[in-house]
């Protein structure tokens, strides 16, 4: 290999790895609603707060293990070391009084699959999994198909 082609090979590799690292950088920015703000930074212009739906009507789940979405407002429902407002209605001992649906058995299971007497610490922060909804047009296109729809199509094909 002469000196010139060795040099151009080196330039090619350098350009290639630069491209790869640029790609990795853009791939890290997955949070579309944050408009590219890095995860460890605060967005200087956050989107305005929305008014969550408060109709108290259960929504269908898209798949059996989906955490149901919250059909009521959760403003000022605090969760901290001393109190969990959600559990003041949804815990086993409070549902008779509140008429809220009880947290299901999975919320009592620890990571080894054993059932605890009270809610498992890994299910303490409800909003990690359960979210309120706003009535808006979807922000991103979604072509999710329910399994029933797929089964129907499959049956038709045979
Ligand atoms: C004042 C009582 C109360 C509090 C506090 C409360 N909820 Fe509820 N929740 C209800 C009731 C009642 C329902 C049944 C539907 C309705 O009336 O809104 C419900 C429904 C739900 C559902 C839907 C269940 C399903 O099967 O579709 C979820 C999820 C939920 N709540 C999560 C939460 C979370 C998370 C919090 C805390 C941020 C919370 N709730 C705080 C009373 C409460
Ligand atoms: C790690 C995720 C996660 C956390 C945290 C979590 N949940 Fe759930 N929740 C789920 C999933 C998944 C389901 C649906 C499957 C099931 O019923 O176990 C569910 C179901 C529910 C239901 C419906 C139960 C039923 O029988 O229909 C209620 C109500 C609920 N959760 C309330 C809560 C409350 C209140 C908290 C906080 C104390 C909480 N969840 C924390 C994942 C979570």
């Amino acid at each position: 290999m002469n000196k010139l082609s060795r040099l151009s090979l080196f330039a090619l590799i350098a350009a290639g790895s630069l491209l790869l690292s640029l790609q990795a950088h853009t791939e890290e920015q997955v949070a579309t609603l944050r408009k590219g703000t890095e995860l460890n930074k605060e967005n200087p212009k956050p989107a305005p707060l929305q008014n969550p739906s408060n109709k108290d009507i259960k929504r269908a789940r898209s798949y059996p293990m989906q955490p149901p979405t919250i059909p009521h407002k959760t403003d000022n429902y605090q969760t901290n070391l001393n109190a969990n407002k959600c559990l003041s209605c949804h815990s086993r001992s409070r549902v008779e009084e509140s008429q809220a649906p009880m947290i299901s058995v999975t919320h009592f299971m620890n990571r080894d699959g054993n059932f605890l007497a009270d809610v498992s610490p890994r299910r303490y922060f409800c909003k990690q999994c359960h979210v309120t909804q706003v009535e808006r047009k979807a922000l991103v296109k979604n072509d999710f198909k329910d399994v029933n729809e797929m089964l129907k199509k499959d049956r038709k094909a045979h």
Side-chain angles (χ1 to χ4, degrees), residues 61 65-68 102-104 106-107 123 125-126 129-130:
R61 302 187 205 179
M65 280 306 285
Q66 185 207 311
M102 190 184 98
I103 49 170
S104 63
T106 57
H107 298 62
R123 289 281 168 112
F125 295 103
C126 316
C129 305
H130 297 281

Side-chain angles (χ1 to χ4, degrees), residues 30-149:
V30 287
T32 53
L33 296 183
R34 290 170 59 82
K35 300 242 161 67
T37 313
E38 285 172 43
L39 277 180
N40 57 352
K41 301 249 161 65
E42 232 175 74
N43 189 348
K45 272 194 188 163
L49 287 177
Q50 303 285 334
N51 200 13
S53 168
N54 197 29
K55 291 192 175 153
D56 293 333
I57 291 174
K58 276 194 194 190
R59 300 188 191 91
R61 302 187 205 179
S62 299
Y63 52 93
M65 280 306 285
Q66 185 207 311
T69 53
I70 308 174
H72 56 71
K73 284 191 175 180
T74 55
D75 300 359
N76 306 321
Y77 287 179
Q78 279 194 20
T79 303
N80 57 32
L81 186 63
N82 305 316
N84 182 324
K85 181 67 183 169
C86 312
L87 286 173
S88 73
C89 289
H90 287 280
S91 72
R92 188 177 60 84
S93 55
R94 298 304 287 272
V95 295
E96 183 170 354
E97 196 182 323
S98 67
Q99 290 296 302
M102 190 184 98
I103 49 170
S104 63
V105 286
T106 57
H107 298 62
F108 294 86
M109 280 161 88
N110 67 9
R111 70 171 87 162
D112 303 318
N114 298 322
F115 292 99
L116 310 176
D118 206 347
V119 64
S120 170
R122 55 190 203 138
R123 289 281 168 112
Y124 189 77
F125 295 103
C126 316
K127 286 160 106 183
Q128 223 175 293
C129 305
H130 297 281
V131 289
T132 52
Q133 301 283 285
V134 289
E135 275 151 50
R136 288 279 182 284
K137 243 172 60 193
L139 289 171
V140 287
K141 203 175 147 247
N142 183 354
D143 48 21
F144 176 84
K145 280 196 181 58
D146 191 277
V147 68
N148 285 350
E149 232 176 286

